[in-house]
Amino acid sequence: MPEVKLSTISKHYDEVIAVDSVNLTVHNGEYVALLGPSGCGKTTTLRIIAGLTLPTEGDVFIDGKHVTYAPPGNRDIGFVFQHFEIFPFWDVWDNVGYGPKLRGLDEIEIEKRVWEALKTTKLTDKADNLPDELNTPELQRVGVARALATGARLMLFDEALGALDPKVKAIFQHELRKIVKKNKLTAIHVTHDQQEAMAIADRIIVMRKGRILQIGKPTELYYKPNDIFIANFLGESNFIEGVVSKVTETGSEIRLRDGSILRTDEKAIKGGRRVIISIRHELLKLQPFERFSALNFIPGKVIGYRFLGDRHSYEVKLDAGEIVGVKEFARAPPPFKLEDPVTVRMDTSLAVLFSYPSNGLAPHLSLE
Ligand code: ATP
């Protein structure tokens, strides 16, 4: 169960800074996800851990050993890519046995490892099949089996589930996590899919532009994002502008642009400050418009609607100016239609306050 430590790792490609001073410790037996938009440096970080890319600066330690310049073969790592090389004229058994054979193990040990790996990945009945007789999820299982059969205790997954259909993917996420936990492996899983990261990982490392923005358990990142980008990237959030009108012992009141007031449990933001309130779609509820003013009841008009099966998803233009998303459980046909005036009730107990960014909101909402 190896521990992985990255110490101020950077990787430059001419002017491009792919990875920028990354410090990270992945503990023994931990399953972490490296999450972020395309081009944020996830794969480069993973390749540096694997020894496939040399960092420009910094050090890599696996189990306390300095391995920055060690070749991949000396790091005892199992690697699964989305598109991995598979020998087309070899059956599943031989493909899975390739790693242990390369390591010079004897026939009995190879046989044991391949059998175990096929059992774990539910491929025993496919052992004699050629790759072109398998479907995509089965091929992906071969990739995992091959990595397991090497006997490596550290698994690196690079968008390994990226080619799967959503339903198959959900099943595979569950299985992959079970395999890692049952075999007491350490896993680092690169994905740009925030749902996958939340479903699979003990901790998520959110990267943007080569840097780590936040590391935490899925619930910590979801409910306590430390950055507007994360609040936007994980799940679906609304961002409402206001000015702090009152700070009390238990929270703050924020005046929106139409004069309505949102009360949040967060304090420590000075009165008079311009702020952004980040509040998730599922924490908003619609009710028929009523002409009254109360904290956290904000007037608006329905301007969009989508049926999501289990949810009604509305778009509401607030009198304060913002367009917000509202997601409600769909127990019956939608109770509101386009152009309906509504009052949006906001549960602000899990809302997060951010200082208004000096460079405006847009750069923080960009998914780059
Ligand atoms: P994706 O999900 O699209 O693979 P990523 O988060 O894994 O993205 P990386 O592949 O690590 O990102 O790339 C980070 C940055 O480094 C990108 O701007 C990319 O174009 C650049 N980059 C990566 N590899 C090379 C290379 N071999 N030569 C030049 N630039 C590179």
Side-chain angles (χ1 to χ4, degrees), residues 136-150:
T136 309
E138 286 164 348
L139 284 171
Q140 216 56 35
R141 282 173 200 278
V142 175
V144 176
R146 215 159 64 164
L148 288 174
T150 62

Side-chain angles (χ1 to χ4, degrees), residues 5-6 9 48-49 58-62 65-68 75:
K5 190 168 171 212
L6 301 185
I9 286 286
I48 289 171
I49 296 170
D59 295 295
V60 183
F61 299 89
I62 297 180
K65 262 196 294 183
H66 183 252
V67 295
T68 315
R75 297 189 185 201

Side-chain angles (χ1 to χ4, degrees), residues 13 16-18 36-45 159 190 192:
Y13 291 105
V16 177
I17 303 176
S38 185
C40 73
K42 310 178 292 287
T43 294
T44 306
T45 304
E159 298 283 5
V190 160
H192 62 272

Side-chain angles (χ1 to χ4, degrees), residues 3-78:
E3 179 186 272
V4 177
K5 190 168 171 212
L6 301 185
S7 174
T8 50
I9 286 286
S10 296
K11 178 68 188 178
H12 299 187
Y13 291 105
D14 300 323
E15 276 95 74
V16 177
I17 303 176
V19 178
D20 191 3
S21 299
V22 160
N23 288 298
L24 172 67
T25 301
V26 180
H27 303 295
N28 276 332
E30 205 178 13
Y31 199 137
V32 300
L34 271 177
L35 174 70
S38 185
C40 73
K42 310 178 292 287
T43 294
T44 306
T45 304
L46 203 72
R47 289 177 61 86
I48 289 171
I49 296 170
L52 298 169
T53 296
L54 265 187
T56 313
E57 279 166 36
D59 295 295
V60 183
F61 299 89
I62 297 180
D63 251 352
K65 262 196 294 183
H66 183 252
V67 295
T68 315
Y69 307 106
N74 289 6
R75 297 189 185 201
D76 207 15
I77 285 173

Side-chain angles (χ1 to χ4, degrees), residues 73-261:
N74 289 6
R75 297 189 185 201
D76 207 15
I77 285 173
F79 213 131
V80 186
F81 302 93
Q82 180 178 345
H83 304 289
F84 56 93
E85 290 296 316
I86 192 159
F87 301 112
F89 305 114
W90 292 8
D91 63 17
V92 168
W93 182 280
D94 286 339
N95 264 289
V96 174
Y98 179 67
K101 211 175 258 173
L102 209 61
R103 290 177 182 217
L105 300 177
D106 64 54
E107 281 302 320
I108 295 173
E109 182 61 22
I110 293 173
E111 178 120 0
K112 195 175 127 209
R113 287 209 187 169
V114 174
W115 182 248
E116 271 303 315
L118 292 181
K119 228 168 58 178
T120 305
T121 51
K122 300 183 182 151
L123 280 173
T124 43
D125 59 337
K126 302 285 176 194
D128 299 330
N129 285 84
L130 289 171
D132 66 4
E133 295 168 326
L134 304 180
N135 59 29
T136 309
E138 286 164 348
L139 284 171
Q140 216 56 35
R141 282 173 200 278
V142 175
V144 176
R146 215 159 64 164
L148 288 174
T150 62
R153 317 300 298 158
L154 173 59
M155 291 288 143
L156 304 183
F157 302 122
D158 190 2
E159 298 283 5
L161 312 184
L164 304 179
D165 293 338
K167 283 219 166 170
V168 179
K169 200 188 214 189
I171 296 167
F172 213 118
Q173 285 165 359
H174 185 64
E175 286 180 7
L176 201 54
R177 186 176 159 84
K178 251 177 36 190
I179 290 171
V180 167
K181 290 294 167 185
K182 193 166 163 230
N183 292 283
K184 297 189 166 53
L185 307 174
T186 303
I188 307 177
H189 182 120
V190 160
T191 178
H192 62 272
D193 176 343
Q194 46 101 15
Q195 271 181 337
E196 178 165 312
M198 286 200 276
I200 214 159
D202 300 316
R203 284 193 306 158
I204 300 175
I205 297 143
V206 183
M207 291 187 73
R208 189 186 193 203
K209 297 183 178 169
R211 290 184 159 256
I212 293 180
L213 287 186
Q214 190 173 1
I215 303 178
K217 292 179 186 157
T219 47
E220 282 166 4
L221 295 187
Y222 195 80
Y223 293 119
K224 289 276 169 217
N226 67 8
D227 193 284
I228 291 173
F229 173 82
I230 297 175
N232 190 39
F233 195 68
L234 262 73
E236 291 182 296
S237 291
N238 296 300
F239 298 94
I240 304 168
E241 187 186 330
V243 171
V244 180
S245 54
K246 196 165 159 189
V247 183
T248 68
E249 279 295 296
T250 52
S252 351
E253 289 184 8
I254 316 297
R255 184 182 299 281
L256 308 191
R257 281 177 286 188
D258 66 340
S260 22
I261 305 280

